[in-house]
Amino acid sequence: MKRFPGAPGKRPALGLIMVKENFILLREGKIGFAEGFSLLYISSLTSLFLTLPSKVIEDGKNMAWLLFLITIIMVLLAFWIVSELMRRQQDMTLIEATETLLGPYVGMLVNTVFFIYFVIREALLFREYAEAFLVAALPRTPISVVIAVLVVAAFTSAYYGLETIARAARAALPFVVVGLVTLYISVLPYVDTSFFYPLWLDKPLFLLGKAFLDYTSTSELIASAVIIHSFGGWQFYRRIGFLTLAAAGGTILITTVLILFVFGVQGASELILPFFNLSQIISIGRFFQRLESVFLLTWAMVGFFKIALFLYISTVILARMFRLADYRPLLWIVTLLCLVLSILPPDLPTTLLLDGILIGNLGLIPTVLLPFVLLLVSWVKRGVKE
Amino acid sequence: MMRKPTKFFLLAKTVILIMAASLCTGCFGGRETDEVAIILAVGIDKGKTAPLEVTVTVANPKAFAAGESGGGGQEDPFLTASVEGPSIWECYLLFNSFGAREMSFQHTRAFIFGEEIAREGLLKYINALLRYREVRRNSSLFVCQGTAKEFMQKNKPRLEASPAKQYEFMQRMSQITGLFPDSDIHRFYITLKSLHSSPTAALVGITRGEKAEEKTVQPLRVPYYAGEVPQAGGKSNAEFIGTAVFRKDKMIGKLTGDESRTMLLLSGHFDLSTFTLEDPQHKNNVITLRLRQGKKPDIEFKRQGDKLLIHEKIYLEGEFWYIQSGENYEDPKKKKIVEEAFDRQMEQLARQLVNKTKEKDYGDIFGFDRYYRKQLSSWEEWEKLPWKEIYDQADIVIDFNTNIRRTGLMRKESLTKE
């Protein structure tokens, strides 16, 4: 019998192989609503701890809140497209659905796009998180060591499987939420609500364009469709997806508004890690200050979950494309690929630029455009059948 | 059937655990407390042989360690050193060349700029500081009358073991006296970058040995700049009173203690202070009030032709601390007389301060532009706003609205027997 070292206890996390319409489907184990929500919520929060709020404020100025609100609505619409596709292709993940709808060759090509997207996302996450650690906390640690720690952590977590990552996320969620709420309350003395004004804008279309082109591309839109079986059906997947994206969007929106209120438009636009700066100014009395090291833990925790999840998803996409029963033989090679890609950008500004182009702009292709095309094909095929 | 984990897996797990445990400790950048010199305050002046002279006050761990063993009572709790160089970080490098411990900014409470360098502009120095992760944005920002070096060398707080605590407490004193603004790097920088109004910073100075310039002290006036308070044998020879006014990042003027208080009242940052005014019914007698901001000021803007009318209402509330004449001002009807007199006198002070800002080209030091933002409809409009010109031409009307709610621990003062 095949050995499943990552599955302690009675139930193997992997290995139940389901054959449907010639597809070999991996089953990653079941995760409940709370676990699924925690996993995707924490994963969606990562950008909050990096440069995103600063970029949103730079683009939206005083109306950054509206820019992000539009983004949330667009992301939810995009998720509706993906979820509608998954409803029509029940009992399949996004990878099998693509092959079913587009045929083996085009399907494989599109799945390769999904795979490349996640590998690039993972590589940039490795690099951005490592750089962020260096900037904020570990200035003398070689970046290779920091990336190596992230890689080992991601590899170990991905090796143990989705169920393990999701359960750990469920346990971590209260700490993340308490950390954020504490931060929100603690920075209130520095809030200047006059930065909310002027309360309108000259170029509403510019804001709409920015929201769609730069910010709607969210990896979690399709990430959840790759692990849809774990949620126990598309209805649960859709509920968790909508709730997660709305909650994470709301959290990022609140934090962005706070950063705007504390640093102003120009001040916030300059920052590379605005969340770190926000935690750095907390000062309540003589003893409740210098808390950034505490927030770094929250920050690191969130980052570790995201890189673990995305490494897992990248590998699972490849395993599904190759119709393998187990994704773990591919884990080494995908990890190595991400690691190699992560050290290619020469510096942090280039990494951020690449992130903006590859994930922000071009990321619309795998996260919005391709699911939309797949949905259209699904409609057309259904129409022809009927 | 589950197979037992092989020896390879056990070994791999052990290696990963050991690696993770050692790598996640942050040992690469770890510094023990006995490896660092903790900088409590930084002073920045123009140098004589180099562009900058940086002075640091460093905590002396020997003083605290010696205290425990009972042998080191003579050790100063802090040490002050200066060095000249082309930039703040070059000076930092030089400091590390003559000390065995690495300088750390993690606990730096105050950055003090000499007046000369403040007049040349602070932005380039603040930019240098804000890039460094150890520098805290909420550290106090002071401008020193004279040089920061002299201030730091002569500043010997008599009640505090460390100047860091003194600076931290002085921030609180701003809220209790209102004689200087509670300024920090964050607020200064944000005002400079995000608003059209003029940034301000607290003024500090060392008590002059000789008698300060003669000043006619009038009620409601605290006409001193830092270093000029007529004190003798006080708790410290460092004085925190007055405000340095900036146009963009260059210092262009100063406000006295009472002007600083009026500025805080008008900007809505006032917390609490004691006001001594002339008794409206008994000349040569004074009344002392302890007042706090009742609520944030109401500010209205109206267009009057080409001009803007700024109408501000300031709300104060508090209690009687002293009625020299013994008049029964506790009576609600008579209380009104004091409130009216106080309001009119404060309005006069406010008018004088507003005129001073216009005459001396200070610009808007009250942050009225923060409120005016509501009148605008877009960011582009805000960026192009010629606020300085609008402010200089605006009619500014200030109304004080004071309510003396309490009378201290006395209901009224009874007459003394003849």
Side-chain angles (χ1 to χ4, degrees):
Chain A
M1 187 180 168
K2 207 167 163 30
R3 191 181 146 268
F4 301 104
K10 292 173 188 170
R11 188 173 53 157
L14 282 160
L16 288 177
I17 300 164
M18 190 166 67
V19 180
K20 184 181 164 126
E21 292 179 14
N22 297 327
F23 291 116
I24 298 171
L25 301 178
L26 293 174
R27 185 174 285 175
E28 296 102 341
K30 287 269 180 272
I31 52 177
F33 179 82
E35 289 159 346
F37 175 82
S38 308
L39 183 63
L40 291 178
Y41 176 74
I42 289 179
S43 168
S44 308
L45 282 187
T46 321
S47 48
L48 166 71
F49 300 97
L50 299 170
T51 315
L52 178 78
S54 177
K55 265 190 75 189
V56 172
I57 293 170
E58 187 184 7
D59 288 336
K61 304 285 189 278
N62 55 307
M63 299 303 281
W65 61 273
L66 184 61
L67 172 60
F68 204 75
L69 200 61
I70 296 169
T71 304
I72 294 173
I73 294 166
M74 285 185 173
V75 167
L76 291 177
L77 282 173
F79 183 72
W80 178 85
I81 293 171
V82 184
S83 69
E84 191 58 23
L85 172 70
M86 301 321 294
R87 186 182 70 80
R88 287 170 165 270
Q89 306 296 323
Q90 289 182 26
D91 297 329
M92 289 182 199
T93 70
L94 183 66
I95 308 306
E96 286 85 30
T98 307
E99 285 199 25
T100 308
L101 291 169
L102 301 178
Y105 299 109
V106 182
M108 178 68 89
L109 194 71
V110 171
N111 282 335
T112 309
V113 173
F114 289 138
F115 172 70
I116 291 170
Y117 171 75
F118 274 103
V119 165
I120 293 174
R121 174 76 277 196
E122 180 73 358
L124 289 172
L125 272 174
F126 277 146
R127 184 60 183 268
E128 284 173 27
Y129 249 88
E131 296 279 5
F133 278 128
L134 259 60
V135 169
L138 305 167
R140 291 178 208 186
T141 311
I143 191 163
S144 52
V145 173
V146 180
I147 292 186
V149 171
L150 290 171
V151 166
V152 169
F155 180 86
T156 314
S157 309
Y159 185 85
Y160 279 95
L162 186 67
E163 233 179 64
T164 314
I165 303 172
R167 286 182 185 170
R170 173 70 188 85
L173 185 67
F175 296 100
V176 174
V177 173
V178 167
L180 287 171
V181 172
T182 309
L183 177 88
Y184 294 161
I185 295 168
S186 306
V187 299
L188 285 180
Y190 283 89
V191 163
D192 181 351
T193 51
S194 73
F195 286 124
F196 199 53
Y197 302 98
L199 194 56
W200 199 232
L201 68 167
D202 274 354
K203 304 168 189 164
L205 287 178
F206 169 78
L207 217 60
L208 272 172
K210 271 277 169 197
F212 179 68
L213 292 174
D214 288 2
Y215 299 107
T216 303
S217 160
T218 305
S219 324
E220 281 71 19
L221 283 171
I222 50 171
S224 50
V226 177
I227 52 170
I228 188 168
H229 288 321
S230 306
F231 299 118
W234 73 269
Q235 296 96 330
F236 297 103
Y237 151 77
R238 175 178 270 191
R239 218 173 81 194
I240 289 174
F242 273 120
L243 202 65
T244 304
L245 291 170
T251 310
I252 298 174
L253 178 65
I254 292 171
T255 315
T256 306
V257 168
L258 271 177
I259 290 168
L260 174 68
F261 283 3
V262 171
F263 297 105
V265 171
Q266 281 94 337
S269 305
E270 290 176 352
L271 303 172
I272 199 157
L273 299 171
F275 185 87
F276 175 75
N277 288 93
L278 206 59
S279 61
Q280 212 184 18
I281 64 161
I282 294 174
S283 174
I284 300 174
R286 286 171 55 207
F287 302 103
F288 197 65
Q289 47 183 287
R290 298 184 178 84
L291 293 180
E292 62 269 26
S293 48
V294 178
F295 284 103
L296 275 173
L297 292 177
T298 310
W299 195 20
M301 203 154 51
V302 169
F304 275 115
F305 280 115
K306 177 127 178 173
I307 57 169
L309 177 66
F310 275 38
L311 182 63
Y312 174 83
I313 285 174
S314 311
T315 317
V316 161
I317 290 174
L318 204 59
R320 286 184 189 285
M321 283 166 66
F322 295 149
R323 294 174 192 176
L324 296 178
D326 192 353
Y327 68 91
R328 281 175 292 192
L330 297 172
L331 199 52
W332 292 98
I333 195 69
V334 176
T335 310
L336 201 62
L337 184 61
C338 295
L339 175 64
V340 169
L341 286 177
S342 74
I343 54 176
L344 286 183
D347 47 45
L348 181 57
T350 311
T351 311
L352 295 175
L353 191 71
L354 284 174
D355 192 313
I357 296 168
L358 298 177
I359 305 300
N361 305 134
L362 295 178
L364 281 172
I365 296 170
T367 56
V368 181
L369 188 67
L370 288 178
F372 183 65
V373 170
L374 288 169
L375 183 61
L376 285 181
V377 173
S378 170
W379 271 335
V380 171
K381 278 197 167 180
R382 180 73 57 91
V384 169
K385 267 186 188 176
E386 281 169 4
Chain B
M1 192 184 103
M2 292 268 294
R3 271 195 285 172
K4 281 184 183 176
T6 59
K7 277 186 179 176
F8 171 76
F9 271 101
L10 276 175
L11 191 67
K13 279 181 191 173
T14 314
V15 170
I16 288 172
L17 273 175
I18 292 169
M19 269 176 64
S22 56
L23 291 175
C24 294
T25 53
C27 281
F28 277 98
R31 290 176 298 175
E32 297 299 328
T33 46
D34 60 357
E35 292 168 1
V36 291
I38 295 168
I39 301 174
L40 304 176
V42 178
I44 299 164
D45 291 302
K46 275 195 83 171
K48 292 180 185 72
T49 56
L52 274 185
E53 181 172 32
V54 176
T55 307
V56 292
T57 299
V58 182
N60 180 6
K62 273 173 78 181
F64 301 102
E68 282 167 16
S69 59
Q74 296 87 3
E75 287 288 343
D76 272 340
F78 52 88
L79 309 165
T80 301
S82 300
V83 77
E84 292 198 8
S87 74
I88 293 176
W89 298 118
E90 185 69 19
C91 293
Y92 168 77
L93 195 69
L94 293 173
F95 276 122
N96 285 317
S97 72
F98 55 82
R101 294 180 179 219
E102 186 189 345
M103 295 283 184
S104 166
F105 283 81
Q106 280 184 331
H107 294 272
T108 307
R109 281 304 314 173
F111 289 88
I112 304 158
F113 287 89
E115 189 174 336
E116 193 182 354
I117 209 161
R119 288 189 184 276
E120 288 181 0
L122 295 188
L123 186 58
K124 51 189 170 184
Y125 307 113
I126 290 180
N127 267 337
L129 293 170
L130 287 180
R131 273 189 194 270
Y132 188 41
R133 67 188 181 89
E134 281 189 3
V135 173
R136 318 193 74 77
R137 282 174 170 253
N138 53 6
S139 300
S140 299
L141 176 71
F142 298 116
V143 171
C144 181
Q145 294 249 74
T147 64
K149 181 181 179 182
E150 185 201 4
F151 177 81
M152 290 168 71
Q153 282 173 341
K154 292 185 178 171
N155 177 19
K156 307 279 181 200
R158 290 172 199 165
L159 296 184
E160 311 306 335
S162 130
K165 206 179 244 184
Q166 177 199 25
Y167 295 127
E168 189 150 347
F169 287 171
M170 286 322 291
Q171 267 189 329
R172 221 170 39 179
M173 290 308 286
S174 161
Q175 293 155 13
I176 294 170
T177 66
L179 297 179
F180 60 96
D182 173 10
S183 56
D184 58 30
I185 293 179
H186 173 71
R187 290 202 183 98
F188 184 89
Y189 190 71
I190 295 307
T191 309
L192 192 60
K193 287 274 173 168
S194 299
L195 301 172
H196 292 292
S197 46
S198 305
T200 56
L203 203 59
V204 298
I206 285 292
T207 306
R208 290 179 192 166
E210 66 275 16
K211 196 175 175 185
E213 188 187 335
E214 286 293 335
K215 305 247 182 192
T216 312
V217 179
Q218 296 167 344
L220 287 177
R221 288 286 194 185
V222 188
Y224 307 111
Y225 297 110
E228 295 179 352
V229 177
Q231 63 149 319
K235 292 175 283 187
S236 165
N237 49 0
E239 291 175 10
F240 296 73
I241 182 170
T243 302
V245 178
F246 289 78
R247 185 81 209 126
K248 298 203 183 294
D249 68 329
K250 293 181 175 62
M251 182 181 165
I252 53 166
K254 293 184 283 189
L255 302 182
T256 61
D258 66 275
E259 287 171 341
S260 302
R261 187 168 60 184
T262 310
M263 177 194 77
L264 291 175
L265 279 162
L266 267 64
S267 62
H269 293 131
F270 176 80
D271 193 38
L272 183 72
S273 189
T274 307
F275 296 81
T276 298
L277 69 151
E278 194 175 58
D279 191 321
Q281 292 189 330
H282 304 272
K283 298 296 170 198
N284 301 325
N285 283 288
V286 293
I287 295 170
T288 301
L289 305 171
R290 179 76 156 172
L291 298 173
R292 57 182 299 131
Q293 184 171 255
K295 63 171 186 171
K296 288 277 177 194
D298 286 335
I299 298 180
E300 287 175 8
F301 299 95
K302 277 184 193 163
R303 276 265 154 221
Q304 286 185 334
D306 291 345
K307 279 186 177 180
L308 185 71
L309 171 69
I310 304 174
H311 187 193
E312 181 173 17
K313 278 185 188 167
I314 293 165
Y315 301 93
L316 293 170
E317 62 172 44
E319 58 185 332
F320 282 114
W321 261 25
Y322 180 42
I323 305 170
Q324 192 179 14
S325 63
E327 182 69 46
N328 183 19
Y329 285 124
E330 296 88 349
D331 182 283
K333 284 176 192 162
K334 288 191 173 175
K335 189 187 76 156
K336 286 276 174 214
I337 300 170
V338 179
E339 288 171 351
E340 282 290 317
F342 175 76
D343 287 346
R344 297 299 84 79
Q345 288 178 49
M346 285 305 296
E347 282 161 14
Q348 193 186 348
L349 288 187
R351 271 195 302 276
Q352 285 170 2
L353 179 60
V354 168
N355 290 338
K356 180 177 175 179
T357 61
K358 290 181 178 181
E359 284 160 14
K360 298 207 167 183
D361 207 28
Y362 288 174
D364 172 17
I365 58 171
F366 312 109
F368 287 140
D369 62 333
R370 286 166 52 230
Y371 301 90
Y372 190 71
R373 295 170 80 119
K374 289 183 189 177
Q375 314 289 318
L376 306 175
S377 59
S378 71
W379 179 258
E380 289 73 18
E381 204 181 336
W382 163 256
E383 280 195 314
K384 289 174 191 158
L385 185 74
W387 181 247
K388 170 81 171 46
E389 287 79 52
I390 295 173
Y391 172 82
D392 284 342
Q393 290 165 15
D395 288 331
I396 301 173
V397 179
I398 314 287
D399 281 340
F400 275 77
N401 193 335
T402 305
N403 189 345
I404 306 170
R405 293 187 190 275
R406 287 163 287 276
T407 59
L409 287 177
M410 288 174 73
R411 193 160 62 85
K412 63 176 185 177
E413 191 176 338
S414 53
L415 292 174
T416 314
K417 282 180 185 173
E418 288 293 329

PDB file of all heavy atoms in Angstrom, chain A residues 60-74:
ATOM      1  N   GLY A  60      -5.046  56.307  -5.438  1.00  0.00           N
ATOM      2  CA  GLY A  60      -6.384  56.847  -5.163  1.00  0.00           C
ATOM      3  C   GLY A  60      -6.371  58.159  -4.420  1.00  0.00           C
ATOM      4  O   GLY A  60      -7.422  58.780  -4.245  1.00  0.00           O
ATOM      5  N   LYS A  61      -5.204  58.564  -3.909  1.00  0.00           N
ATOM      6  CA  LYS A  61      -5.062  59.788  -3.108  1.00  0.00           C
ATOM      7  C   LYS A  61      -6.086  59.784  -1.965  1.00  0.00           C
ATOM      8  O   LYS A  61      -6.219  58.787  -1.286  1.00  0.00           O
ATOM      9  CB  LYS A  61      -5.225  61.025  -3.998  1.00  0.00           C
ATOM     10  CG  LYS A  61      -4.269  61.084  -5.175  1.00  0.00           C
ATOM     11  CD  LYS A  61      -2.875  61.461  -4.717  1.00  0.00           C
ATOM     12  CE  LYS A  61      -1.916  61.738  -5.845  1.00  0.00           C
ATOM     13  NZ  LYS A  61      -1.301  60.578  -6.471  1.00  0.00           N
ATOM     14  N   ASN A  62      -6.810  60.894  -1.789  1.00  0.00           N
ATOM     15  CA  ASN A  62      -7.783  60.968  -0.698  1.00  0.00           C
ATOM     16  C   ASN A  62      -8.927  59.983  -0.896  1.00  0.00           C
ATOM     17  O   ASN A  62      -9.632  59.633   0.046  1.00  0.00           O
ATOM     18  CB  ASN A  62      -8.350  62.382  -0.606  1.00  0.00           C
ATOM     19  CG  ASN A  62      -8.934  62.820  -1.921  1.00  0.00           C
ATOM     20  OD1 ASN A  62      -8.282  62.763  -2.942  1.00  0.00           O
ATOM     21  ND2 ASN A  62     -10.194  63.236  -1.908  1.00  0.00           N
ATOM     22  N   MET A  63      -9.122  59.525  -2.134  1.00  0.00           N
ATOM     23  CA  MET A  63     -10.213  58.586  -2.407  1.00  0.00           C
ATOM     24  C   MET A  63      -9.701  57.147  -2.472  1.00  0.00           C
ATOM     25  O   MET A  63     -10.314  56.299  -3.123  1.00  0.00           O
ATOM     26  CB  MET A  63     -10.901  58.956  -3.724  1.00  0.00           C
ATOM     27  CG  MET A  63     -11.513  60.335  -3.729  1.00  0.00           C
ATOM     28  SD  MET A  63     -12.710  60.584  -2.417  1.00  0.00           S
ATOM     29  CE  MET A  63     -14.104  59.762  -3.113  1.00  0.00           C
ATOM     30  N   ALA A  64      -8.603  56.892  -1.794  1.00  0.00           N
ATOM     31  CA  ALA A  64      -8.044  55.535  -1.795  1.00  0.00           C
ATOM     32  C   ALA A  64      -9.073  54.533  -1.285  1.00  0.00           C
ATOM     33  O   ALA A  64      -9.160  53.405  -1.775  1.00  0.00           O
ATOM     34  CB  ALA A  64      -6.792  55.502  -0.930  1.00  0.00           C
ATOM     35  N   TRP A  65      -9.878  54.976  -0.328  1.00  0.00           N
ATOM     36  CA  TRP A  65     -10.904  54.079   0.231  1.00  0.00           C
ATOM     37  C   TRP A  65     -11.902  53.671  -0.847  1.00  0.00           C
ATOM     38  O   TRP A  65     -12.334  52.527  -0.918  1.00  0.00           O
ATOM     39  CB  TRP A  65     -11.611  54.742   1.420  1.00  0.00           C
ATOM     40  CG  TRP A  65     -12.327  56.013   1.066  1.00  0.00           C
ATOM     41  CD1 TRP A  65     -11.813  57.264   1.037  1.00  0.00           C
ATOM     42  CD2 TRP A  65     -13.697  56.125   0.649  1.00  0.00           C
ATOM     43  NE1 TRP A  65     -12.763  58.166   0.643  1.00  0.00           N
ATOM     44  CE2 TRP A  65     -13.927  57.500   0.402  1.00  0.00           C
ATOM     45  CE3 TRP A  65     -14.736  55.226   0.473  1.00  0.00           C
ATOM     46  CZ2 TRP A  65     -15.157  57.976  -0.021  1.00  0.00           C
ATOM     47  CZ3 TRP A  65     -15.966  55.706   0.059  1.00  0.00           C
ATOM     48  CH2 TRP A  65     -16.171  57.058  -0.187  1.00  0.00           C
ATOM     49  N   LEU A  66     -12.246  54.644  -1.734  1.00  0.00           N
ATOM     50  CA  LEU A  66     -13.204  54.333  -2.802  1.00  0.00           C
ATOM     51  C   LEU A  66     -12.560  53.410  -3.830  1.00  0.00           C
ATOM     52  O   LEU A  66     -13.196  52.464  -4.319  1.00  0.00           O
ATOM     53  CB  LEU A  66     -13.672  55.634  -3.471  1.00  0.00           C
ATOM     54  CG  LEU A  66     -14.746  55.466  -4.540  1.00  0.00           C
ATOM     55  CD1 LEU A  66     -16.013  54.863  -3.957  1.00  0.00           C
ATOM     56  CD2 LEU A  66     -15.069  56.801  -5.207  1.00  0.00           C
ATOM     57  N   LEU A  67     -11.300  53.678  -4.114  1.00  0.00           N
ATOM     58  CA  LEU A  67     -10.566  52.819  -5.048  1.00  0.00           C
ATOM     59  C   LEU A  67     -10.588  51.372  -4.554  1.00  0.00           C
ATOM     60  O   LEU A  67     -10.851  50.440  -5.320  1.00  0.00           O
ATOM     61  CB  LEU A  67      -9.124  53.333  -5.191  1.00  0.00           C
ATOM     62  CG  LEU A  67      -8.139  52.461  -5.970  1.00  0.00           C
ATOM     63  CD1 LEU A  67      -8.598  52.245  -7.394  1.00  0.00           C
ATOM     64  CD2 LEU A  67      -6.756  53.081  -5.980  1.00  0.00           C
ATOM     65  N   PHE A  68     -10.345  51.218  -3.259  1.00  0.00           N
ATOM     66  CA  PHE A  68     -10.297  49.847  -2.749  1.00  0.00           C
ATOM     67  C   PHE A  68     -11.697  49.245  -2.627  1.00  0.00           C
ATOM     68  O   PHE A  68     -11.883  48.040  -2.797  1.00  0.00           O
ATOM     69  CB  PHE A  68      -9.553  49.788  -1.408  1.00  0.00           C
ATOM     70  CG  PHE A  68      -8.992  48.427  -1.177  1.00  0.00           C
ATOM     71  CD1 PHE A  68      -7.867  48.003  -1.869  1.00  0.00           C
ATOM     72  CD2 PHE A  68      -9.618  47.531  -0.333  1.00  0.00           C
ATOM     73  CE1 PHE A  68      -7.370  46.725  -1.709  1.00  0.00           C
ATOM     74  CE2 PHE A  68      -9.130  46.254  -0.171  1.00  0.00           C
ATOM     75  CZ  PHE A  68      -7.999  45.848  -0.856  1.00  0.00           C
ATOM     76  N   LEU A  69     -12.665  50.101  -2.346  1.00  0.00           N
ATOM     77  CA  LEU A  69     -14.053  49.607  -2.282  1.00  0.00           C
ATOM     78  C   LEU A  69     -14.494  49.095  -3.654  1.00  0.00           C
ATOM     79  O   LEU A  69     -15.114  48.019  -3.763  1.00  0.00           O
ATOM     80  CB  LEU A  69     -14.967  50.750  -1.826  1.00  0.00           C
ATOM     81  CG  LEU A  69     -16.321  50.374  -1.246  1.00  0.00           C
ATOM     82  CD1 LEU A  69     -16.136  49.526   0.010  1.00  0.00           C
ATOM     83  CD2 LEU A  69     -17.124  51.616  -0.906  1.00  0.00           C
ATOM     84  N   ILE A  70     -14.151  49.847  -4.684  1.00  0.00           N
ATOM     85  CA  ILE A  70     -14.471  49.400  -6.052  1.00  0.00           C
ATOM     86  C   ILE A  70     -13.748  48.090  -6.336  1.00  0.00           C
ATOM     87  O   ILE A  70     -14.306  47.162  -6.934  1.00  0.00           O
ATOM     88  CB  ILE A  70     -14.072  50.482  -7.084  1.00  0.00           C
ATOM     89  CG1 ILE A  70     -14.902  51.743  -6.881  1.00  0.00           C
ATOM     90  CG2 ILE A  70     -14.254  49.973  -8.506  1.00  0.00           C
ATOM     91  CD1 ILE A  70     -14.406  52.945  -7.679  1.00  0.00           C
ATOM     92  N   THR A  71     -12.494  48.028  -5.874  1.00  0.00           N
ATOM     93  CA  THR A  71     -11.717  46.802  -6.085  1.00  0.00           C
ATOM     94  C   THR A  71     -12.419  45.607  -5.435  1.00  0.00           C
ATOM     95  O   THR A  71     -12.514  44.534  -6.045  1.00  0.00           O
ATOM     96  CB  THR A  71     -10.297  46.964  -5.492  1.00  0.00           C
ATOM     97  OG1 THR A  71      -9.689  48.105  -6.073  1.00  0.00           O
ATOM     98  CG2 THR A  71      -9.443  45.747  -5.765  1.00  0.00           C
ATOM     99  N   ILE A  72     -12.910  45.807  -4.214  1.00  0.00           N
ATOM    100  CA  ILE A  72     -13.587  44.693  -3.522  1.00  0.00           C
ATOM    101  C   ILE A  72     -14.791  44.236  -4.340  1.00  0.00           C
ATOM    102  O   ILE A  72     -15.006  43.031  -4.541  1.00  0.00           O
ATOM    103  CB  ILE A  72     -14.028  45.131  -2.099  1.00  0.00           C
ATOM    104  CG1 ILE A  72     -12.814  45.402  -1.228  1.00  0.00           C
ATOM    105  CG2 ILE A  72     -14.899  44.049  -1.448  1.00  0.00           C
ATOM    106  CD1 ILE A  72     -13.153  46.000   0.127  1.00  0.00           C
ATOM    107  N   ILE A  73     -15.559  45.198  -4.840  1.00  0.00           N
ATOM    108  CA  ILE A  73     -16.748  44.833  -5.632  1.00  0.00           C
ATOM    109  C   ILE A  73     -16.335  44.077  -6.891  1.00  0.00           C
ATOM    110  O   ILE A  73     -16.937  43.061  -7.248  1.00  0.00           O
ATOM    111  CB  ILE A  73     -17.559  46.110  -5.979  1.00  0.00           C
ATOM    112  CG1 ILE A  73     -18.131  46.709  -4.690  1.00  0.00           C
ATOM    113  CG2 ILE A  73     -18.686  45.796  -6.960  1.00  0.00           C
ATOM    114  CD1 ILE A  73     -18.648  48.110  -4.832  1.00  0.00           C
ATOM    115  N   MET A  74     -15.274  44.558  -7.523  1.00  0.00           N
ATOM    116  CA  MET A  74     -14.812  43.886  -8.744  1.00  0.00           C
ATOM    117  C   MET A  74     -14.301  42.482  -8.442  1.00  0.00           C
ATOM    118  O   MET A  74     -14.538  41.553  -9.220  1.00  0.00           O
ATOM    119  CB  MET A  74     -13.718  44.713  -9.420  1.00  0.00           C
ATOM    120  CG  MET A  74     -14.273  45.935 -10.119  1.00  0.00           C
ATOM    121  SD  MET A  74     -12.990  46.787 -11.008  1.00  0.00           S
ATOM    122  CE  MET A  74     -13.950  48.015 -11.883  1.00  0.00           C
TER     123      MET A  74
END
